Amino acid sequence: MATLNIPQNGKAVKGRTKKPLPSVDLTAMVDLAFLLITFFMLTTSLAKMKALEIAKPIPPEPIDFGDYPASRTMTILLGKNNQAVYYMGEAKNAAMQMINLTTIKKEILSNKLMVAKTHSSAREKQLLVIIKPTTTSNYKNFVDIIDEMNISDIKSYIIDDKYIADREKAFLKEKGI
């Protein structure tokens, strides 16, 4: 608190008096600041966990979605060691190619451009991507490929971790992925 100097005898002093500088005691203010800091530290969370939420519906019985147009469908099979296999069209007729996941964006964009050039209507100009994570792939690769879908502006992609064709399994086994 502010303290003022008052003469001890209580009598007024003749002549010019020195005005003492008032001093402020900041003890209460410091106590209040520490209480507020402690309160906010205890009531807030420092960092939230970041997780990718994917809600996959579980249908009561198998649903037939029909055939995907092979001319604009790209399938990506995720493997181990940041490797993937991709192909355009159907698995039985396609030329499967291995690729590192760091360079998959270039292939996605080139296939997207190729589909846009070969189709005439606006709806058919969109590339469809089927992402198939295998048992040897890891979660980081899966998140990276989903990020690539958003970065490359792919509107339609499907996550299919159940149905991997026999030819796809054979190619993965042959390449050691």
Side-chain angles (χ1 to χ4, degrees), residues 1-13 17-23:
M1 300 294 170
T3 58
L4 298 175
N5 293 332
I6 300 174
Q8 292 180 353
N9 59 8
K11 296 182 182 176
V13 179
T17 61
K18 289 184 181 179
K19 289 188 177 180
L21 293 173
S23 63

Side-chain angles (χ1 to χ4, degrees), residues 32-96:
L32 181 64
F34 279 114
L35 283 173
L36 285 172
I37 289 171
T38 305
F39 172 76
F40 286 118
M41 283 177 58
L42 294 176
T43 57
T44 60
S45 60
L46 297 178
K48 301 245 184 220
M49 293 294 290
K50 293 181 181 177
L52 179 68
E53 289 187 28
I54 296 179
K56 289 178 63 177
I58 302 172
E61 54 189 61
I63 299 172
D64 183 24
F65 292 107
D67 292 333
Y68 298 108
S71 61
R72 61 187 185 113
T73 303
M74 178 181 186
T75 304
I76 301 173
L77 294 141
L78 301 176
K80 61 182 176 182
N81 299 331
N82 297 330
Q83 296 291 318
V85 173
Y86 77 95
Y87 61 91
M88 288 294 291
E90 298 176 345
K92 59 185 173 189
N93 303 329
M96 297 184 184

Side-chain angles (χ1 to χ4, degrees), residues 94-163:
M96 297 184 184
Q97 299 175 354
M98 278 185 48
I99 193 165
N100 194 326
L101 282 175
T102 57
T103 58
I104 192 84
K105 181 179 181 180
K106 183 177 80 168
E107 296 300 325
I108 293 171
L109 291 175
S110 68
N111 286 331
K112 181 180 176 182
L113 186 62
M114 180 200 56
V115 167
K117 284 181 181 178
T118 57
H119 291 82
S120 58
S121 71
R123 184 174 181 267
E124 291 178 351
K125 287 186 176 194
Q126 293 182 1
L127 176 68
L128 302 173
V129 179
I130 302 173
I131 301 168
K132 295 185 176 185
T134 61
T135 55
T136 58
S137 64
N138 60 23
Y139 186 72
K140 180 191 175 305
N141 292 341
F142 179 71
V143 171
D144 289 345
I145 201 72
I146 296 295
D147 286 343
E148 287 299 332
M149 295 297 116
N150 292 330
I151 292 168
S152 301
D153 196 32
I154 302 295
K155 304 277 189 233
S156 300
Y157 60 90
I158 300 164
I159 301 163
D160 184 11
D161 56 348
K162 228 179 199 184
Y163 305 106

